[in-house]
Amino acid sequence: MSKSLELKLLAESIEKITETATGFNLDFYPMRFEICPAEIIYTFGAYGMPARFTHWSFGKAYHKMKTQYDYNLSRIYEMVINSNPCYAFLLEGNSLIQNKMVMAHVLAHCDFFKNNVWFKHTNRDMLESMSVASQRFRNYELKYGCEKVEQFLDAALSLQQHIDPHSYIKEMPTTIKQCCGNQQKTPYDDMWNIGSKKEGAGDCNCQHKCTSIKRANDLMKFLLEYAPDLEEWQRDILSVLREEMLYFWPQMQTKIINEGWATYWHLRIMREMDLVESEALEFAKMHAGVIQTSKTSINPYFIGLKIFEDIEKRWNNPTEEERERYGCNGQEGREKIFEVRTVDNDVSFLRNYLTKELIEELDLYLFRKVGHDYKVVDKDWRKVRDELVRNLTNCGVPYIVVENGDYKKRGELHLKHLFEGLELDVLHLEKTLPHIYLIWGRPVHLETILDKKVVLFSYDGEKIAKKFA
Amino acid sequence: MDKKKVYIISREDWSLHRKGELDQQRHRQKVREAIKKNLADIITDESIIMSDGKKVYRVPIRSLEEYRFRYDHHKQKHGGIGDGDSKVGDVVASDRQGGGNGKGKGGAGEQPGIDYYEADISLEELQQMLFKDLVLPDLKEKHNKQLASETIEFRDIRKQGLQGNIDRKRTLMEVLKRNAKAGKPGIHGIKPEDLRYRTWETAFKYQSAAVVLAMMDTSGSMGPYEKYIARSFFFWMVQFIRSKYQQVEIVFLAHHTEAKEVTEEEFFTKGESGGTRCSSVYDLALNIIETRYSPNDYNIYAFHFSDGDNLSSDNERCVELINKMLAYCNLVGYGEIEGPYYYSSTLKNSFKTIEKSNFTTVSIRDQSGVYPALKAFFSNRSNQGTVRMMQPFDV
């Protein structure tokens, strides 16, 4: 088939698919579809965006994806960007029917981006911001040397996930008032000073920058604001990486629900298309590939689809109990899933709708490493649900907060892992501390729990020390 | 939604978009750097030493880790989906057979979730990294010079050639000449026939002749591990000498209580047993030097590896013979492999009395000591550099 004919056929299909999707009340931004060769799709996949700064870790990810593609181990059919207009990249070499399914899938993603509440604050012009930032980073490389920029990026990237994704809700309290002298006894002490001149850090004469702030959830932001010796270009890098993470975070926290939504709709939309028998077969195969299950992981497409279908079924035909508990009268399935799409993220999606019946029907279990083997250790539905939810909490990233920016009054950084039952990977911990040291410029400490004991890891610029409390 | 077209389909030309490739190259480059840092471990890899020296090796090394705070994967419980009849206790995966996750010794496949990057690396490339700073130290000019290696030199001027190699000075000279002949002196109007290009020729580098005596203890006290370490050293020594010096002879000597000259193959494969008398091999070496390699004609190097477990009655004689060899040799090196059972070696201790600058001893505890030993023996101590004798040449 010639390329122009292919484009023409695609255009015809998209017309039909868009119409169908709109008929189902899907509500999406204007779409830009672009057909790309595999390398490009994998580049976008590795970088998370079509235009992002340069770093070897993206090269590593790219290599891995491309190798899997080259050996036919896995295949990305599309890549979609949360932006307005919405960009979707289709893999060159997709058959027409593959592209139809992908387009239907992508429209549902776009509907999700546009309507899910967790995306409300994302920057829809991120594409431009990233591309401009990448140009600035390039200039830093020219000015300060690639090695130096790379080294700083290594450090900043290792902390990139430690942001406060909800910082838009309220500004983080940057209480830098409590300098050495006037320690507060209770959180309300400062109330007594209202109106008096003593308010603020003006008359503090401690040597260190007053960073004895109570607790900061946003490590990136804290470093950005208080790391004493950063140069402007380094602050810029930290700030860009933080903005990027704020942009990516909603996608990270809605992986299952978003893929479930897209899978649910590509199935419905494709059923409305007039497929000849061979096309129907090809579609069925492709769909089966997408929702294929695995013994050692949770396929978000599969689990998300099943939950949505279950919700729809239950709200269409509620049991007596459900009628009472949820106040539904039946035949409200469609309405309900649109509501879920609007208000939930993965954690609440699983917490609210992964039921005992569903867990048993889908044969979900928990497994862990026992010696050389990975063994099923739990099938109790509550434990399965709770553990899945726990693994998704904070996008699976440990909570690390700044406990004190002036530890021991020496300007050292004291971090604390808010332990919730799961130990940190010690090797990674010990390799990450030097990265923070590079940014902070002074000794860095991290408090966590190992074997039920409080332990403080410290890095002083030369070696790691470990001290049990 | 309005009737307006809400989509665009396009196909762009992406052929110049190479970002992923470029960053992938940077990752590869960093992996190479990591290899370089771990050379000491890699060069004792048995598969390299025992091979024919021509293969490309796939060195399984961990791909560069992106460190961050994360949970301990092994202590975490993960979700999975069964076929409908899973039970507690079912094994869903196992890493007993390496799990297809990398290969090689050290159980590369034992931890799923760790990326192994198989770096393709040729022996030649490894050698380049390894041998970059190694030289035969203190090479001196001798009467007997032999062809050492070929080298490329720019020393010819032609009328045709590559743009990048234009010889500006000569081209301008031609312009001057032609203009002068035409009666309008000066530099103006360069014509194609004025252009002159520099081009290269193969030149020959001459070096004084050299011989290396490789001596190895093959007695019973040298266990397979000690022999392996000694052979690792000699393997790389031979590779290094052959790759950098084309005309250096290597003589292989093996000994227990008696010493004999052996072929290269025997040297690297045969195990012997029996007691140890190191003086035997020094005697043989001296004999070979005196009859075949006159110090007037040859740079002479002698390296001996042993576990140091020598007949104590023999030690004094060893010192005497080493001293004698030192008079002939540019360098004598003694490497002692410290086994776990000997706390102090009689032989190395005896050698402590020798205070000559061209005598070097090293101790090797384990495999990682091989590379430092190479560096200790084959680095230039007096910055003299190699003696290069160029053919007289004039343009």
Side-chain angles (χ1 to χ4, degrees), chain A residues 122-134:
Chain A
T122 55
N123 176 2
R124 313 272 179 195
D125 298 324
M126 200 57 187
L127 207 50
E128 281 73 28
S129 311
M130 279 192 184
S131 139
V132 173
S134 85

Side-chain angles (χ1 to χ4, degrees), chain A residues 15 33 47 52 150 363 374, chain B residues 7-8 19 23 26 86 112:
Chain A
E15 194 95 34
F33 290 100
Y47 289 73
R52 208 169 165 204
E150 181 179 86
D363 196 16
Y374 291 85
Chain B
Y7 61 88
I8 292 172
K19 203 178 169 76
D23 279 343
R26 177 65 187 139
S86 69

